[in-house]
Amino acid sequence: VELQAKLDSLTDEVNFLRCLYEAELNQMQQTVSDTSVVLQMDNNRNLDLNSIIAEVKAQYEDIAQKSRAEAESWYQGKYEELQVSAGRHGDNLRDTKAEIAELNRAIQRMRAEIENVKKQCERLQASIAKLR
């Protein structure tokens, strides 16, 4: 019974895989039948390797030139972006320096006021000491 169940399971799996295979085969045949191929044949038996090499070299040089131009434009964009960023940071730095200078002036004014208040307190304490 156990072997029969295993046989049935394997048979079902084989049938499923067969159906899947047939569906894929039909799809591939449909794709292949929809594809048209144009074949051009040159019966010239003399291969001119120099012209082939020159053509391949020209293609690679064209690709290299395009890549170089793309890289150059990318680097130029990054350079301009960095310049804008540096300018922005320079402005922020200048603003921060001005703010620090203003805070330092405020600190100096407050220290002077503190000194004046301390002197005033000392004078008042001296006046109180005289009155006692």
Side-chain angles (χ1 to χ4, degrees):
V1 172
E2 187 178 310
L3 289 175
Q4 183 64 38
K6 192 171 188 178
L7 177 65
D8 290 340
S9 170
L10 290 174
T11 303
D12 290 342
E13 185 177 351
V14 167
N15 288 335
F16 171 74
L17 291 174
R18 185 174 290 135
C19 288
L20 183 64
Y21 168 75
E22 288 174 4
E24 287 180 357
L25 183 62
N26 286 336
Q27 185 180 8
M28 290 299 292
Q29 287 174 347
Q30 176 102 18
T31 304
V32 169
S33 67
D34 290 343
T35 304
S36 63
V37 176
V38 176
L39 182 63
Q40 184 178 3
M41 193 167 159
D42 186 8
N43 287 331
N44 187 3
R45 299 285 181 212
N46 298 330
L47 291 176
D48 185 12
L49 292 178
N50 288 334
S51 67
I52 293 172
I53 291 172
E55 184 180 333
V56 170
K57 184 178 178 182
Q59 289 175 354
Y60 277 111
E61 286 175 354
D62 186 42
I63 292 170
Q65 187 177 8
K66 287 178 183 177
S67 295
R68 193 176 306 117
E70 286 177 10
E72 186 68 32
S73 69
W74 184 81
Y75 282 117
Q76 185 67 29
K78 282 293 185 183
Y79 178 74
E80 290 171 1
E81 184 180 310
L82 287 173
Q83 280 184 324
V84 168
S85 178
R88 216 177 21 249
H89 291 305
D91 292 343
N92 288 343
L93 180 63
R94 195 175 322 108
D95 293 343
T96 303
K97 283 182 179 180
E99 187 178 342
I100 288 172
E102 181 63 33
L103 290 173
N104 282 333
R105 284 191 292 274
I107 289 171
Q108 288 175 353
R109 281 193 307 269
M110 287 182 185
R111 284 183 179 163
E113 287 178 24
I114 289 171
E115 287 299 316
N116 288 336
V117 169
K118 282 182 181 178
K119 289 178 184 176
Q120 188 178 7
C121 282
E122 288 175 7
R123 284 193 303 263
L124 288 174
Q125 285 176 351
S127 295
I128 290 172
K130 284 183 187 178
L131 292 175
R132 285 187 183 181

